[in-house]
Amino acid sequence: MKRVSRLARARPAQARADSGAAEGPVRVLTLTEMGARGDALAEGSDGPIFTPFGLPGETVEAQVIGARAAITRVASASPDRMDPACPHFGRCGGCQLQHWALGPALAWKRTQVETALRRRGFDAPVAPTIDAWGKGRRRATLHAIRAGRGVRLGFMERGGVRVMGIETCPALTAGLQAKLPALEAIARLCAPRRGEATLHCLDSETGIDVDVRGAAPVTERAQREALAGLAAEHDLARLSIDGETLAAARTPIVTMGAAKVACPPGAFLQPTALGEETLARLVLDALAGARRAADLFCGLGTFGLRLAAFAEVLAVEGDETMLMALKRAADAAGGLHGVTTQRRDLLRTPISALELKKCDAIVFDPPRSGARLQAEQIAASKAERVAAVSCDAGSFARDARALVDGGFDLVSVTPVDQFRWSPHIEIVGVFQR
């Protein structure tokens, strides 16, 4: 059921604090559209006025300074305005869109992809956004700092200045939410006196994996025993400090196709399990029947280990620990075609068209910044089909331009949403010669 957000009836002072904007003159604004970063836009004399926590079609009273506005009252609410799912919404920087109904938010994310493609000269059809939230985020990074005699554990506040302690987080899987008290207890034992520690957490198939980075030195036997005791008390699969295993009841495992991957501490995975499955399905459909495929920026093998069910795979990645985990999983799995691994920083040294000469299909999944140089080498290769996976519409469109200029046709684009309540979007583009 649609309900009016708490922000709409918040006291003006609280609304200002939630938005992070300074004091300014109150104006009446008509919000016309949603900006790329999740702020509603109103027309100003010198350009758009960015209005956090607003929605298209709303009329609001807001304090305005320059191009920023802080809502003090929603005078006319959108029918798509929702009550936020989290009591920390408005201050926590992790979510920007909990006040917006799911359907319109998914449609807006599709529009963002269409807009980015048009800017690069494409008029390609974009499929409706697939909701791949599933059970929530299985991977999260929490920050911990000293606060008095205790610690503050949570996410960065809106604006990225301070760590905000959290008591709950509906964006996380139930398994991770249940371990928040354990994570706070761990942080109390190993957070540094100055600066912050980060807890890299994964809800794996065998339990919760925690790797603490930036911890104070954990050298005393009593301290190590206390941390190991916490891991046992809270039934963590594994607890590591800066990648060094301190306690391990079980190996954190994720399944990728026919392979069981033992995750290194702090390893990168798609944030939701359903998101990974959805992206993999789209890639496999695009490259079905390939004889030899390259998986570039392969990580733990999200795509390569599944492609190996019908093709020989060249898996290339810069992180040695993830590459080794992929190779061990491939060797242990039965019925896979050959998987060859190569360690390389593809952003600095792209794999060349000549090195790709035996590949008839390629998938690449670069960081948010994209991989223009690698895309140019793929375009110059003899590959017939390419699946490009991206978490940024702008860099995806730029890399797509390089592929199309090199002789490919862009045949399909599918947005996948595994970042609910945020402006982020995953994209799978399929290219053929």
Side-chain angles (χ1 to χ4, degrees):
M1 183 177 67
K2 296 178 181 178
R3 296 177 290 173
V4 176
S5 164
R6 282 192 295 271
L7 185 63
R9 56 178 185 270
R11 297 189 303 272
Q14 182 61 47
R16 290 194 297 273
D18 286 348
S19 72
E23 297 278 349
V26 174
R27 293 174 51 185
V28 176
L29 301 177
T30 299
L31 307 180
T32 57
E33 60 182 306
M34 192 67 80
R37 296 186 178 182
D39 294 339
L41 304 181
E43 292 187 9
S45 58
D46 296 321
I49 299 173
F50 296 86
T51 312
F53 312 120
L55 293 176
E58 292 187 332
T59 301
V60 302
E61 294 176 2
Q63 292 181 327
V64 180
I65 293 183
R68 302 293 297 176
I71 295 175
T72 57
R73 188 174 75 91
V74 178
S76 176
S78 164
D80 298 325
R81 180 173 281 276
M82 303 293 290
D83 208 25
C86 179
H88 304 300
F89 177 70
R91 288 188 60 205
C92 178
C95 295
Q96 298 86 31
L97 300 174
Q98 283 191 14
H99 60 303
W100 204 6
L102 179 60
L106 293 177
W108 169 73
K109 291 189 176 188
R110 178 190 188 186
T111 300
Q112 293 298 105
V113 178
E114 292 173 330
T115 300
L117 287 170
R118 280 198 301 270
R119 287 172 178 163
R120 292 286 176 171
F122 290 103
D123 189 23
V126 177
T129 305
I130 297 174
D131 178 13
W133 182 242
K135 297 180 179 180
R137 291 187 66 112
R138 61 178 176 177
R139 177 178 60 81
T141 300
L142 289 93
H143 304 265
I145 61 169
R146 293 287 173 188
R149 295 184 179 181
V151 296
R152 188 182 303 133
L153 176 74
F155 300 108
M156 299 305 295
E157 283 189 348
R158 184 174 173 86
V161 178
R162 299 174 64 250
V163 175
M164 176 183 170
I166 62 168
E167 300 166 357
T168 184
C169 178
L172 304 179
T173 62
L176 279 178
Q177 287 197 69
K179 299 302 182 186
L180 287 175
L183 299 176
E184 184 175 350
I186 290 168
R188 280 198 298 270
L189 287 176
C190 60
R193 291 187 178 276
R194 293 187 177 183
E196 70 175 50
T198 54
L199 283 69
H200 299 257
C201 308
L202 171 65
D203 189 353
S204 79
E205 295 167 20
T206 53
I208 304 299
D209 182 33
V210 180
D211 182 36
V212 185
R213 301 292 173 97
V218 182
T219 55
E220 296 182 7
R221 180 177 178 180
Q223 187 182 18
R224 296 177 70 88
E225 288 179 348
L227 285 167
L230 281 173
E233 176 187 349
H234 293 279
D235 192 31
L236 299 182
R238 182 176 62 194
L239 173 61
S240 305
I241 306 294
D242 290 321
E244 177 189 353
T245 299
L246 191 147
R250 299 172 299 281
T251 300
I253 296 291
V254 294
T255 301
M256 295 180 175
K260 300 285 185 180
V261 182
C263 298
F268 174 84
L269 284 168
Q270 296 296 335
T272 74
L274 182 58
E276 177 184 302
E277 294 168 9
T278 303
L279 295 174
R281 173 177 56 80
L282 292 167
V283 169
L284 263 63
D285 287 349
L287 306 185
R291 297 184 304 276
R292 182 170 174 80
D295 180 7
L296 309 182
F297 305 93
C298 63
L300 288 174
T302 298
F303 306 115
L305 289 172
R306 291 174 166 95
L307 287 167
F310 56 81
E312 294 182 9
V313 174
L314 169 63
V316 186
E317 166 64 45
D319 188 303
E320 184 176 12
T321 59
M322 289 199 290
L323 205 59
M324 291 173 61
L326 183 161
K327 183 60 174 173
R328 285 194 293 267
D331 291 344
L336 296 184
H337 290 63
V339 177
T340 303
T341 58
Q342 181 181 140
R343 183 184 180 190
R344 186 185 296 198
D345 182 347
L346 292 168
L347 295 178
R348 292 178 177 271
T349 312
I351 191 165
S352 70
L354 182 62
E355 294 171 285
L356 294 168
K357 65 180 180 180
K358 293 183 179 180
C359 297
D360 57 339
I362 299 170
V363 56
F364 70 114
D365 183 12
R368 186 176 302 278
S369 58
R372 180 181 58 83
L373 296 178
Q374 185 59 78
E376 290 172 351
Q377 290 300 314
I378 293 171
S381 74
K382 295 182 179 180
E384 294 295 325
R385 288 176 291 167
V386 171
V389 183
S390 175
C391 59
D392 183 84
S395 63
F396 169 79
R398 184 202 62 205
D399 293 349
R401 185 76 268 165
L403 291 171
V404 170
D405 288 348
F408 282 94
D409 291 326
L410 176 55
V411 297
S412 70
V413 180
T414 306
V416 177
D417 184 22
Q418 53 178 340
F419 301 99
R420 185 174 291 182
W421 302 323
S422 88
H424 301 303
I425 188 67
E426 204 85 23
I427 306 159
V428 178
V430 179
F431 301 80
Q432 292 183 354
R433 291 202 188 273

